[in-house]
Amino acid sequence: MKIDRVEQIIKNMTLKEKIGQVTQIGYSGEDVDEFVKFIDEIKPGSLILAGTALAGSEEQRSVQGENLVKLQEYAVKNMGIPLLFGRDVIHGHRVAFPLALTMASSFDFKLVEKCFDAVRQEAVSDGVNWTFSPMLDMCRDPRWGRIVEGPGEDPYIGECFAKAAVKGFQKGETVENGAMLACLKHFVGYGASEGGRDYTQTDISDYSLQNEYLPAFRSAIENGAQTVMASFNGINGVPNSGNKKIMTDVLRGQLGFDGFVISDWDAIMMMSEYSGFAKDKRDSAGKAINAGIDMDMGGKVYLDYMESLIESGEVSEEVLDEAVRRILNVKAHFGLFEHPFYENQSFDLDEHLALSQKMAEESIVLLKNSNGILPLSKENRIGLMGPFASERRSHAGCWSLDWDQSLVHSIEDVFDKEEIKYVNSDLRLREAPQFNADCIVIALGEDRLMTGEACSVGNVSLPEEQVALLKKAKRNGLPVIGILCFARPIALEENIDLFDAVLYTGHAGSRGAEAICSVLFGDAEPQGRLPYTLPHYSGQIPVYYNSLSGCRQINSYYDDEDPRFWSYLDTTSKPLFPFGYGLSYSNLEYGEIKTDCDKIKYEDIENGEKFVFTVTVKNTGDRKAVAVGEAYVHDTVASRMRPLRQLRGIKRAEIGAGKSVEMTFELGKKDLGFYLEDGSFILEKGEFEVYIGESSICTNKTVIEVV
Ligand code: GLC
């Protein structure tokens, strides 16, 4: 549809119809014949397919595709403007793919994109045309339950994840071609919630906003995202739901976003109910629309107060028209007017299950493997214990709303199916189960309902009862292999010493148990890398790899051999396992970093020239492995303090036993420059350290210079 057709529609809309268009109301499967009365009365721009505000924590009624067709037919016939059906299709629909933070552990964003493409196919086959995903909140605090919904602590991973999700969800670009609208959330800075406590305020400098919290959103917008959800938190003391600087000047003026913005659930009225930023709901509504919030999720305040705000002149009708225009332009660009319904959308369930398993296999991180005890042989006799030996649902993770629970299995189910020899313990045993086995596999983890929204915790240590089980296991005197099904990063403390091997699996989706067993027995190679830091203790939080250089001693994330330089008197502040870390079953060696040009003129870099590096990676072990090369940069002297390391390149390669592969990395202006507080991007002359290896603390280094 031409944009001037949109102008024609706006010209013909009544004030009531405009107010309806900027309103989203909830629909959770009620009787359609009853519900169309709402549509008649309110004329909403969108329905959110959810019954409660905490959609991520409760199993919702599944989407009834036939109902959406009836509702859309009614809307098109009686309103002339098709509806957007919004749903939290975060990381799966019928098939639960691994959680976002688990997927990010793969460092394989081509595969991540395929997964989101598969999720799209499933959701549009039920008529869902808009998803409130990807969640792009960078986060360094695992106490925050929502860390599991996003890509972790690193801006570059955030950029890669954002691009993969938007391209996967919006593949085809229009309804006719089976696309689904992505929604970038939560704009912006929600992941900095103080103390990891959900819904608290955030204190983010403009410098940090530009260089750490915005990159993922820039990447998503560059890749065609058309909708954004404003976040609950505020910046500089202003709630984002009423923050014109953030929602208009930064999002539109600086990032060039030209779609529309929806509030989070009832977030507009929270500005008067909780934040004390507005005197009442009516004031909230005025502040929100004037700040650039185009649609109200929850459907109360714009509906109830916009007419009065327009009449009083506190909101001009032009502002309302602009919000309507943005919404209609997105619907027009999406081809929704020409094709309000999906046709012939189907998908191959088995193909999606296999893809989910592959994603999970690539996301599992091998943290420890003493004496090469893994992979196990299927001839091994295994003592199997721990609450996650029989757990099924939690593998699907939080925000799995329409998942087919019959598709999810437990580790025990897979052992049975694969006829693995195992005995499992009665967890109620007071004393250590005396296993007649070669080793013990203990499966621990956190329940899916302990993660996601409103699921912050004050202590991210291994739960006491699980530590007690682990100590019981240890008393057998057998090797102990830990399968840790934790979606969030946890603090293992000294318990790490009780394991002989550890696989960190996240919440790995509908085929999570199959993936775990596939890696456990070596049918798949462990290749996951941590997109976050694993601390020794909760007390170290926040501890993350890309912190700015310190003001006195060397930052002890990287170097604290001398206790005098420890940041704490009572403990190291080194991580237990650093960002980017992960082992393979073989042994990979990274050779010298080679570059045929270690100095490039400033103006040449500005004009697009790049530094090129090659590294030979050799597999010195006796089995194939997947190498995940990571390139880090450190700007040694700059007009702002710069991170000690910044991930700026990832290369993956499967390498046969005894074989080598050459990896090539390029670093250009985007990798060497940074944003100033005002959003301008600069590159400065000077030296840069470049590290290439398999974690953020790799020491394989070379030095380059922009002259
Ligand atoms: C919730 C969440 C948001 C979700 C929305 C709709 O409060 O903050 O992530 O998309 O409401 O369920």
Side-chain angles (χ1 to χ4, degrees), residues 297-315:
M297 177 189 288
K300 305 284 186 308
V301 287
Y302 282 4
L303 213 54
D304 295 346
Y305 304 106
M306 193 58 68
E307 189 166 356
S308 142
L309 287 161
I310 298 260
E311 277 164 9
S312 68
E314 292 162 270
V315 173

Side-chain angles (χ1 to χ4, degrees), residues 221-239:
I221 291 165
E222 284 162 12
N223 282 281
Q226 288 288 296
T227 75
V228 161
M229 183 187 300
S231 59
F232 289 125
N233 63 296
I235 291 184
N236 298 326
V238 180

Side-chain angles (χ1 to χ4, degrees), residues 252-272:
R252 295 185 184 280
Q254 189 201 321
L255 272 57
F257 176 66
D258 63 359
F260 76 83
V261 173
I262 186 169
S263 75
D264 202 336
W265 193 298
D266 275 349
I268 296 173
M269 67 98 162
M270 290 178 189
M271 291 195 287
S272 56

Side-chain angles (χ1 to χ4, degrees), residues 121-135:
Q121 292 170 37
E122 296 186 12
V124 302
S125 69
D126 271 344
V128 179
N129 55 26
W130 186 21
T131 177
F132 300 124
S133 184
M135 190 269 215

Side-chain angles (χ1 to χ4, degrees), residues 324-344:
V324 172
R325 180 174 295 110
R326 289 166 179 163
I327 294 165
L328 296 184
N329 283 343
V330 168
K331 290 182 176 182
H333 178 86
F334 190 37
L336 195 59
F337 285 92
E338 292 79 10
H339 296 275
F341 309 96
Y342 289 107
E343 287 156 21
N344 313 316

